[in-house]
Amino acid sequence: MMLQVKKFVFNPFMENTYVLFDETNDCIIIDPGCVEKDEEIQLTEFIQSKSLAVKQLINTHCHIDHVLGNAFVKRKFNVALSIHPIEEPMLKAVKTYASNYGFFQYQDSTPDSFLNEGDRVVLGNQKLEILFVPGHSPGHIVLYHELTKILMGGDVLFENSIGRTDLPGGDFDTLINSIHQKLFTLPDDVTVYCGHGSETSIGYEKRNNPFCAIVK
Ligand SMILES: [Zn+2]
Ligand SMILES: [Zn+2]
């Protein structure tokens, strides 16, 4: 057994929440979107049923759909939150607009440490590398596990699509550059676990993604 990925689809934005774990039973929670009680129970029951020890909480970026469960996860599992430093104002801003989306019970959360390009995240016997891929949001990061060719990609690259760039801090050219320089330089058989929708691969998107059809 190597790196395992468990996916949940949470909240009205259909956001993908991920739990990464390996044979040591340590785990990392990425982008917890749980907001309803039953979603919190689903996440908790999975972690308990596998006897996982939650070691870290990471946000790829801090749009509301990816951080709704931050406060719950921090409290429930007594775990530290890590984000990219540029993303901190995005996280702070969520409480100012959460009610606009109907999330009147939103609980604020603050980061405990920061992750930058090239940092290594240790999960049990596994090491994941942090890549900085701005454009969808200014401080977006992804996690790459070279050994199993798994990329936890957030909202940068989707199956036949890319992250939207019309939200505050978004920039289309920056996003396209990030995809070409940081993601399309990875091997074709890397599996991308996206922040929404189904998994894809680097090779498939290089050949088929209409947004990335820039000849290089
Ligand atoms: Zn987003
Ligand atoms: Zn999203």
Side-chain angles (χ1 to χ4, degrees):
M1 179 168 142
M2 296 256 286
L3 186 68
Q4 307 279 306
V5 181
K6 170 67 180 179
K7 168 172 142 181
F8 299 88
V9 182
F10 287 153
N11 73 53
F13 298 97
M14 305 287 282
E15 183 267 352
N16 294 335
T17 294
Y18 293 103
V19 177
L20 302 187
F21 59 104
D22 80 348
E23 64 275 8
T24 67
N25 281 9
D26 284 354
C27 81
I28 294 174
I29 299 175
I30 298 176
D31 292 350
C34 43
V35 62
E36 300 292 340
K37 195 97 220 129
D38 71 290
E39 294 173 338
E40 294 175 353
I41 289 169
Q42 274 183 62
L43 180 64
T44 304
E45 282 188 345
F46 176 78
I47 285 164
Q48 289 172 347
S49 72
K50 295 269 183 194
S51 303
L52 300 179
V54 185
K55 295 294 184 180
Q56 202 171 351
L57 167 61
I58 296 174
N59 293 152
T60 59
H61 67 297
C62 295
H63 287 150
I64 188 167
D65 47 330
H66 297 252
V67 306
L68 282 165
N70 273 2
F72 169 76
V73 167
K74 285 187 77 168
R75 193 174 60 243
K76 178 80 187 176
F77 303 106
N78 190 28
V79 70
L81 169 65
S82 303
I83 63 174
H84 192 279
I86 294 177
E87 205 65 6
E88 193 174 12
M90 308 295 291
L91 180 57
K92 273 207 179 100
V94 174
K95 63 176 180 293
T96 67
Y97 69 82
S99 61
N100 298 347
Y101 289 98
F103 300 109
F104 298 102
Q105 310 294 324
Y106 174 74
Q107 289 177 300
D108 202 12
S109 61
T110 51
D112 303 289
S113 67
F114 293 110
L115 290 169
N116 287 285
E117 167 88 17
D119 284 352
R120 303 260 163 177
V121 171
V122 175
L123 162 61
N125 296 324
Q126 318 302 320
K127 284 194 179 68
L128 297 106
E129 188 185 347
I130 298 296
L131 307 177
F132 178 56
V133 284
H136 170 69
S137 71
H140 199 301
I141 53 171
V142 296
L143 292 90
Y144 179 49
H145 189 245
E146 192 177 7
L147 215 54
T148 51
K149 295 184 174 170
I150 283 173
L151 185 80
M152 307 310 298
D155 287 357
V156 175
L157 184 66
F158 300 119
E159 188 182 24
N160 296 314
S161 188
I162 58 171
R164 51 191 287 195
T165 51
D166 57 328
L167 298 168
D171 184 77
F172 183 81
D173 290 341
T174 304
L175 180 62
I176 294 293
N177 277 337
S178 288
I179 290 169
H180 279 278
Q181 289 168 13
K182 299 289 177 64
L183 303 193
F184 283 1
T185 49
L186 299 173
D188 276 2
D189 55 348
V190 168
T191 302
V192 184
Y193 288 86
C194 309
H196 302 266
S198 49
E199 294 81 69
T200 184
S201 74
I202 293 295
Y204 177 87
E205 297 310 322
K206 272 188 187 170
R207 290 190 301 274
N208 297 292
N209 194 306
F211 295 94
C212 302
I214 296 171
V215 182
K216 276 273 184 307

